[in-house]
Amino acid sequence: MADEKKQGFVEHITPRDVDFAQWYTDVILKSELVDYAPVRGCMVIRPYGFAIWERIKEALDRRFKANGHENVYMPMLIPESLLLKEAEHVEGFAPEVAWVTQGGGEKLQERLAVRPTSETIFCAMYSKWVGSWRDLPMKYNQWCSVMRWEKSTRPFLRTSEFLWQEGHTIHATPEEAQEETMQMLDIYREVAEDELAMPVLVGRKSDKEKFAGARATYSMEAMMQDGKALQAGTSHNFGTNFAEAYDIQYLSKEGKLTYVHETSWGVSTRLIGAIIMTHGDERGLKLPPHIAPIQVVIVPVAAHKGGVMEKCAEVSDQLKAAGIRVKLDDRDTLSPGFKFNDWELKGVPVRVEIGPRDLEKGQCVVFRRDTYEKQAVALSELSAALPVLLEDIQKNLYALADQFRQSRIREVHNMEELTQAVNGGFARAMWCGERACEDAIKEQTGATSRNMPFDQTPMGDTCVCCGRKAKHLIYFSKAY
Amino acid sequence: MADEKKQGFVEHITPRDVDFAQWYTDVILKSELVDYAPVRGCMVIRPYGFAIWERIKEALDRRFKANGHENVYMPMLIPESLLLKEAEHVEGFAPEVAWVTQGGGEKLQERLAVRPTSETIFCAMYSKWVGSWRDLPMKYNQWCSVMRWEKSTRPFLRTSEFLWQEGHTIHATPEEAQEETMQMLDIYREVAEDELAMPVLVGRKSDKEKFAGARATYSMEAMMQDGKALQAGTSHNFGTNFAEAYDIQYLSKEGKLTYVHETSWGVSTRLIGAIIMTHGDERGLKLPPHIAPIQVVIVPVAAHKGGVMEKCAEVSDQLKAAGIRVKLDDRDTLSPGFKFNDWELKGVPVRVEIGPRDLEKGQCVVFRRDTYEKQAVALSELSAALPVLLEDIQKNLYALADQFRQSRIREVHNMEELTQAVNGGFARAMWCGERACEDAIKEQTGATSRNMPFDQTPMGDTCVCCGRKAKHLIYFSKAY
């Protein structure tokens, strides 16, 4: 299989409008982002996929640290008794837990959960570490893998194990905790928009959809090309909910024992799935330049002709020196045409072609993956032109995604309109706030509530479902 | 406890010569590198400890990538049947495995091991990915946590879970695999010496001490201040051992199915333990500037006096701009004396003190943690002087450790000398190569063979233990 490919077979990708799910699977496997592992529900992240994750991680980690967060590492095993302390939280996660019951050749006295998330262990440690108001806030984050048992496997979207970051912070006042919750949501939005070129809707989740144990959950929701929503990041305000269950108290300035206010927030390798389904096309991936592991690929044409390879290597060095992530494809057993397809499949934003005739003219051909446009560029101007082009591609990818999304969001006022809207898009609706209506909408249309935007300017007075007095503006859609 | 500390109590550290193990525990807990977790055998890595790990990681990862290695992520759970394929490997790890037996509310049909190491899963994937000689080499690495069930807990040295990197590579020829094995050992040595300021002995392990399933294991061994060895990194050549068990074959240029040659290599958070026990003293940590999260701390003296805090902030900005990792200790409830102790405990290489009298003279006081020396430096020269000073401290820490190590390595020719030498140091000896002698030495002295240096210039003809013909020059010592 690997050998066939190297001999020049072009990979076949199912068109998006034939079968979107199959298109996704074709793209992630053929572009070599991931592979299935010989472990049920688990994925292997291959070098190209992991390199994307490293760039996302870097973009987030830099912002976390700039805002005073520090990284830590907590154990991956959590004793059952510790997990059981916050009732709502346990109920939410218990069905998904993988349990270690044997260790070192012996049956354990207590089952240990492979962390599905780490609130409980962060709480246990915060309870130990916090003394007085002087110790607050504590703003910690960890990068790790978590395990949530799944029946099916969709790499990056739904797997038993995935990689993520989880921030956990404690604060003296409810105001500070809320500010933190909002700040982290905003950092997620910024990274989604500026780095992943992915427009998102931010807002508050309904009580039904909030995190198990949170007072309030906020999310960012992105629209995939099939019109479904992908929850791409969440930020939770726990209030004193966990602090009371895990006894996290500090001595206030007034000498009074007081519960801390806590937040948590996370994004995961799901973001890679979001990038694929936001930007990809029939040829494969389209990576935003900011997070593309390779921003520019150089493909020699008639590489055996005098001077071509030398010039390609020289240009490669120049671009590298200009801070561009460049790759020279010097594989000698493959045709330029095969290489073109291969790098388009892998979503490299820009391709530079250099052949003997280009050399004569002192130029090269520059191809941009987002629009398929080709143009000749003087070699002497390439180092200056490419950073500008890459920024243009970054912006264009965002604009295209935003345009698509706008065209698929509909204001709806009754169930008939809602049903139509969520068939390939989002419905923007007024809602009474009752769980019963959310349940009814889910049952009738398959759509769930996504979030309530911060701008709550009403679209009307009545609930889209029950017709009674509306309380909230909210989005509904089918979701991943 | 946290509050007591903040009010100015100086932490008490057990002196090294009273109880080295207790000194170690005091230092890691009081400097807030780690804490014990409410999970048997596991540690929590706190921000200051994790920041050291991030710097070590960065130093290694940069070198891995420069040598053509790519990062990936493999699942943390390994089915028992997959683990069982290579007999020697299983035998080595089975007693230490933690098993997941329940998931998603059900008993699993097959036990899943929490990875103790990932050879088996890398092999399964390589077998799937490799087609022809054109696909080779594949040089992958992953950063993750692994689990090896332990009865006792010594943070960074011996815990059930720890963080590490594991490189796994496959090659077409035995020569390439051996070259890779040696190259990675050399990268480890370079990082130990140049970044951690820690001299190491590199060489080949005996068959008794090699990795379960390896044809040959190479290690770097560092000497701690109690004269014991700490194995600080290993690099293994598997030959075709795993390739045969997991069927990893490629089609050679001649069209013949051929087994790949494989290597693996790893270092872990143990390196943090090594840094502590190589450089630390009665006041606490001494961190080499290259990996110190904070290289320079600025402590204002009489901070309330006019202009002091402003100048400190200005100097802090200047040093930051000069690329120095600087922290301004502006805590207003603590005395300068307390802060001095606190940052010495935390091993910050350089302290800058600025008070009103310094301001008058346009200078500051610079304290170096390695020698306790203080000197006045003109503020105008500080940005230029500190990088030089930091490099000097880095070199001095290495020189001190090397001097200590040289003084504790003894050439020995009989069991009496060996017994004396390994009581607080390393024995350099000739050995017949027989397991029986290694076992006898272990039983009589508690020392194990460390490794056989590449320079095998003999010290004599006879085995230090049995007196028969010697084959190898080798180091023995007690070890962590």
Side-chain angles (χ1 to χ4, degrees):
Chain A
M1 167 75 181
D3 199 52
E4 269 175 22
K5 194 187 139 193
K6 294 292 159 59
Q7 283 164 23
F9 289 78
V10 173
E11 302 279 354
H12 175 71
I13 298 173
T14 306
R16 283 169 293 179
D17 55 5
V18 172
D19 184 343
F20 192 75
Q22 189 57 48
W23 169 82
Y24 178 79
T25 305
D26 286 351
V27 168
I28 56 173
L29 293 179
K30 289 175 200 291
S31 64
E32 299 185 343
L33 295 183
V34 284
D35 205 345
Y36 295 104
V39 190
R40 214 202 54 165
C42 290
M43 63 177 161
V44 167
I45 307 182
R46 302 182 72 172
Y48 198 56
F50 200 82
I52 296 174
W53 181 237
E54 284 183 316
R55 295 214 59 81
I56 295 174
K57 205 173 150 173
E58 197 276 322
L60 288 161
D61 202 64
R62 179 160 38 90
R63 288 170 171 88
F64 296 164
K65 284 178 176 153
N67 282 288
H69 299 88
E70 297 176 290
N71 286 334
V72 299
Y73 187 78
M74 296 283 170
M76 70 147 91
L77 297 182
I78 301 172
E80 184 165 20
S81 56
L82 190 63
L83 203 64
L84 291 177
K85 283 194 177 177
E86 207 290 322
E88 201 182 331
H89 185 67
V90 170
E91 208 180 302
F93 282 101
E96 301 179 349
V97 169
W99 294 101
V100 169
T101 63
Q102 302 164 8
E106 286 167 20
K107 186 171 181 300
L108 305 182
Q109 295 198 311
E110 181 181 20
R111 295 196 297 179
L112 302 172
V114 181
R115 67 175 158 235
T117 178
S118 304
E119 274 73 13
T120 56
I121 192 121
F122 269 92
C123 284
M125 299 314 296
Y126 278 141
S127 168
K128 189 173 175 187
W129 291 334
V130 91
S132 85
W133 60 274
R134 289 184 201 88
D135 302 324
L136 295 173
M138 289 191 181
K139 306 202 298 183
Y140 295 169
N141 173 67
Q142 77 175 354
W143 294 92
C144 63
S145 79
V146 285
M147 181 75 65
R148 298 177 188 177
W149 214 249
E150 293 283 354
K151 295 283 175 199
S152 59
T153 312
R154 301 209 61 197
F156 298 130
L157 302 177
R158 202 163 285 280
T159 51
S160 291
E161 185 189 14
F162 56 87
L163 303 182
W164 80 344
Q165 62 66 220
E166 47 179 323
H168 298 270
T169 68
I170 53 174
H171 306 265
T173 67
E175 292 76 21
E176 279 177 50
Q178 183 63 16
E179 194 184 325
E180 170 81 7
T181 310
M182 290 296 104
Q183 187 191 30
M184 300 322 289
L185 183 68
D186 199 55
I187 285 179
Y188 288 160
R189 181 200 55 72
E190 182 183 301
V191 168
E193 293 180 355
D194 296 354
E195 310 285 4
L196 315 186
M198 184 170 79
V200 288
L201 296 170
V202 293
R204 182 174 171 165
K205 298 294 259 188
S206 70
D207 281 352
K208 180 185 177 186
E209 299 289 337
K210 76 179 168 60
F211 182 81
R215 295 266 167 93
T217 290
Y218 302 84
S219 74
M220 63 175 181
E221 308 275 338
M223 186 190 286
M224 303 297 100
Q225 291 183 52
D226 58 356
K228 285 193 200 167
L230 188 137
Q231 179 178 296
T234 48
S235 186
H236 316 287
N237 187 337
F238 291 151
T240 58
N241 213 16
F242 281 87
E244 289 171 36
Y246 290 83
D247 194 28
I248 317 177
Q249 298 192 74
Y250 70 98
L251 209 58
S252 72
K253 278 187 188 173
E254 296 73 34
K256 207 182 127 204
L257 269 180
T258 311
Y259 287 115
V260 301
H261 294 261
E262 193 171 6
T263 84
S264 94
W265 27 275
V267 296
S268 73
T269 36
R270 245 193 164 202
L271 287 175
I272 301 176
I275 294 167
I276 298 163
M277 292 195 292
T278 298
H279 302 299
D281 67 9
E282 309 315 345
R283 297 194 193 177
L285 295 175
K286 263 191 204 174
L287 295 179
H290 288 188
I291 55 94
I294 302 169
Q295 296 175 306
V296 174
V297 63
I298 301 174
V299 178
V301 177
H304 56 283
K305 291 274 175 70
V308 170
M309 277 310 290
E310 291 74 7
K311 180 53 81 176
C312 286
E314 190 189 314
V315 170
S316 174
D317 288 345
Q318 275 167 14
L319 298 184
K320 216 169 278 173
I324 295 170
R325 294 189 291 280
V326 62
K327 182 176 176 74
L328 168 56
D329 186 348
D330 57 4
R331 292 176 290 179
D332 57 10
T333 55
L334 299 173
S335 70
F338 177 85
K339 291 178 181 178
F340 293 175
N341 289 333
D342 195 32
W343 295 113
E344 287 174 21
L345 167 61
K346 289 203 161 76
V348 173
V350 171
R351 178 175 73 232
V352 170
E353 307 166 15
I354 303 179
R357 258 172 295 176
D358 299 308
L359 282 193
E360 282 170 24
K361 297 184 202 162
Q363 67 174 40
C364 61
V365 174
V366 172
F367 167 86
R368 52 189 285 180
R369 176 71 181 83
D370 59 336
T371 59
Y372 307 121
E373 287 164 354
K374 278 189 175 193
Q375 60 177 126
V377 175
L379 285 170
S380 58
E381 285 162 25
L382 196 61
S383 293
L386 286 181
V388 178
L389 178 61
L390 289 167
E391 278 311 295
D392 192 54
I393 294 174
Q394 180 81 24
K395 287 203 179 67
N396 185 46
L397 286 176
Y398 181 87
L400 288 173
D402 193 42
Q403 203 178 324
F404 175 82
R405 182 182 67 157
Q406 297 305 345
S407 73
R408 300 278 190 117
I409 297 179
R410 285 173 54 190
E411 301 203 342
V412 301
H413 298 88
N414 54 50
M415 282 302 288
E416 199 187 328
E417 287 175 5
L418 189 147
T419 307
Q420 282 173 1
V422 301
N423 185 20
F426 289 7
R428 187 176 154 90
M430 296 304 295
W431 169 54
C432 64
E434 293 301 318
R435 167 79 181 252
C437 283
E438 276 183 281
D439 290 343
I441 289 168
K442 174 79 190 284
E443 198 175 320
Q444 288 174 44
T445 70
T448 48
S449 76
R450 303 322 304 160
N451 65 28
M452 297 173 269
F454 296 116
D455 178 355
Q456 281 284 313
T457 312
M459 279 169 39
D461 297 329
T462 57
C463 173
V464 68
C465 183
C466 66
R468 277 175 296 205
K469 191 165 167 47
K471 279 189 187 156
H472 307 286
L473 180 66
I474 190 165
Y475 290 98
F476 287 95
S477 78
K478 291 173 187 166
Y480 280 91
Chain B
M1 166 73 181
D3 199 53
E4 269 178 19
K5 195 189 138 193
K6 294 292 157 60
Q7 283 165 23
F9 289 80
V10 174
E11 302 280 352
H12 175 72
I13 298 172
T14 305
R16 284 169 292 180
D17 56 5
V18 172
D19 184 343
F20 191 75
Q22 189 57 48
W23 168 83
Y24 178 78
T25 304
D26 287 352
V27 168
I28 56 172
L29 293 178
K30 289 175 200 291
S31 64
E32 300 185 342
L33 295 184
V34 285
D35 204 345
Y36 295 104
V39 190
R40 211 200 57 164
C42 290
M43 64 176 161
V44 168
I45 308 182
R46 302 183 72 173
Y48 198 55
F50 200 82
I52 296 173
W53 181 236
E54 285 184 316
R55 295 214 58 81
I56 295 174
K57 206 172 149 173
E58 197 276 322
L60 288 161
D61 201 63
R62 179 161 35 91
R63 288 169 171 87
F64 295 165
K65 284 178 175 153
N67 283 287
H69 299 88
E70 298 177 289
N71 286 335
V72 298
Y73 187 77
M74 297 283 170
M76 71 148 90
L77 298 182
I78 300 172
E80 185 166 21
S81 56
L82 190 62
L83 203 63
L84 291 176
K85 283 194 176 177
E86 208 290 322
E88 202 183 331
H89 185 68
V90 170
E91 207 180 304
F93 282 100
E96 301 179 350
V97 169
W99 294 101
V100 170
T101 64
Q102 302 163 8
E106 287 168 19
K107 186 172 182 298
L108 304 182
Q109 296 199 312
E110 181 180 19
R111 297 196 295 180
L112 302 172
V114 181
R115 65 175 158 235
T117 177
S118 304
E119 273 73 14
T120 57
I121 191 118
F122 269 92
C123 285
M125 298 315 295
Y126 278 141
S127 168
K128 188 174 174 185
W129 290 334
V130 90
S132 84
W133 60 273
R134 290 185 201 88
D135 302 323
L136 295 175
M138 288 190 182
K139 307 203 297 183
Y140 295 168
N141 174 66
Q142 78 175 353
W143 294 92
C144 62
S145 79
V146 285
M147 181 74 65
R148 298 178 188 176
W149 215 248
E150 293 282 352
K151 295 284 174 196
S152 59
T153 312
R154 301 210 61 198
F156 299 129
L157 302 177
R158 202 163 285 279
T159 50
S160 291
E161 186 189 12
F162 56 86
L163 303 182
W164 80 344
Q165 60 68 218
E166 47 179 323
H168 297 270
T169 68
I170 52 174
H171 306 264
T173 67
E175 292 76 20
E176 279 177 48
Q178 182 62 16
E179 195 185 322
E180 169 81 8
T181 310
M182 291 295 105
Q183 188 194 29
M184 300 321 290
L185 183 69
D186 200 52
I187 285 179
Y188 289 159
R189 180 200 55 70
E190 183 183 300
V191 168
E193 293 180 354
D194 296 355
E195 311 284 4
L196 316 185
M198 183 171 79
V200 287
L201 296 170
V202 292
R204 181 174 174 164
K205 298 293 259 189
S206 70
D207 281 351
K208 180 184 176 185
E209 299 289 337
K210 77 178 165 61
F211 182 81
R215 294 266 166 91
T217 290
Y218 302 84
S219 73
M220 62 175 182
E221 309 274 338
M223 186 190 285
M224 304 296 99
Q225 291 183 52
D226 59 356
K228 284 193 200 167
L230 187 135
Q231 179 179 295
T234 47
S235 186
H236 315 289
N237 188 337
F238 291 150
T240 57
N241 214 15
F242 281 86
E244 288 171 37
Y246 290 82
D247 194 28
I248 317 176
Q249 298 193 73
Y250 69 97
L251 209 59
S252 72
K253 278 188 192 175
E254 296 74 32
K256 207 182 127 203
L257 270 180
T258 312
Y259 287 116
V260 301
H261 294 260
E262 193 171 6
T263 83
S264 94
W265 28 273
V267 297
S268 73
T269 35
R270 241 189 170 206
L271 286 175
I272 302 176
I275 294 167
I276 299 163
M277 293 195 291
T278 298
H279 303 300
D281 67 10
E282 308 316 344
R283 298 194 193 176
L285 295 175
K286 263 191 204 174
L287 295 180
H290 288 189
I291 53 96
I294 301 168
Q295 294 175 308
V296 174
V297 64
I298 302 174
V299 178
V301 178
H304 56 284
K305 292 273 175 71
V308 169
M309 276 310 290
E310 291 74 8
K311 180 54 82 178
C312 285
E314 189 189 314
V315 169
S316 174
D317 289 343
Q318 275 168 13
L319 298 184
K320 217 169 278 172
I324 295 170
R325 294 190 290 279
V326 62
K327 184 180 175 73
L328 167 57
D329 187 348
D330 57 4
R331 292 176 290 179
D332 58 9
T333 55
L334 299 172
S335 70
F338 176 84
K339 291 179 181 178
F340 293 176
N341 288 334
D342 195 31
W343 295 114
E344 287 173 21
L345 167 61
K346 289 203 162 76
V348 173
V350 170
R351 178 174 73 233
V352 171
E353 307 166 14
I354 302 179
R357 258 172 295 178
D358 298 308
L359 282 193
E360 281 169 26
K361 297 184 200 161
Q363 66 173 39
C364 62
V365 174
V366 171
F367 167 86
R368 52 189 285 179
R369 175 70 181 85
D370 60 335
T371 59
Y372 307 121
E373 287 165 354
K374 279 189 176 194
Q375 60 177 123
V377 174
L379 284 170
S380 58
E381 286 164 23
L382 195 62
S383 293
L386 286 182
V388 178
L389 178 61
L390 289 168
E391 278 310 295
D392 192 55
I393 294 173
Q394 180 80 25
K395 288 204 178 65
N396 185 46
L397 286 177
Y398 182 88
L400 288 173
D402 193 45
Q403 203 177 323
F404 175 82
R405 181 181 68 157
Q406 297 305 344
S407 74
R408 299 280 190 114
I409 296 178
R410 285 173 54 191
E411 300 203 341
V412 302
H413 297 89
N414 54 52
M415 282 303 288
E416 199 188 328
E417 287 176 4
L418 189 148
T419 308
Q420 283 176 0
V422 301
N423 185 20
F426 288 8
R428 187 176 154 91
M430 296 304 296
W431 169 53
C432 63
E434 293 300 319
R435 167 80 180 252
C437 284
E438 276 184 281
D439 290 343
I441 288 168
K442 174 80 190 286
E443 196 173 323
Q444 288 174 44
T445 71
T448 48
S449 76
R450 303 321 305 161
N451 66 28
M452 297 174 268
F454 296 116
D455 178 355
Q456 281 283 317
T457 312
M459 280 167 40
D461 297 328
T462 58
C463 173
V464 67
C465 182
C466 66
R468 277 176 296 206
K469 186 161 170 48
K471 279 191 188 153
H472 307 288
L473 181 65
I474 191 165
Y475 290 99
F476 287 95
S477 78
K478 292 172 187 167
Y480 280 91

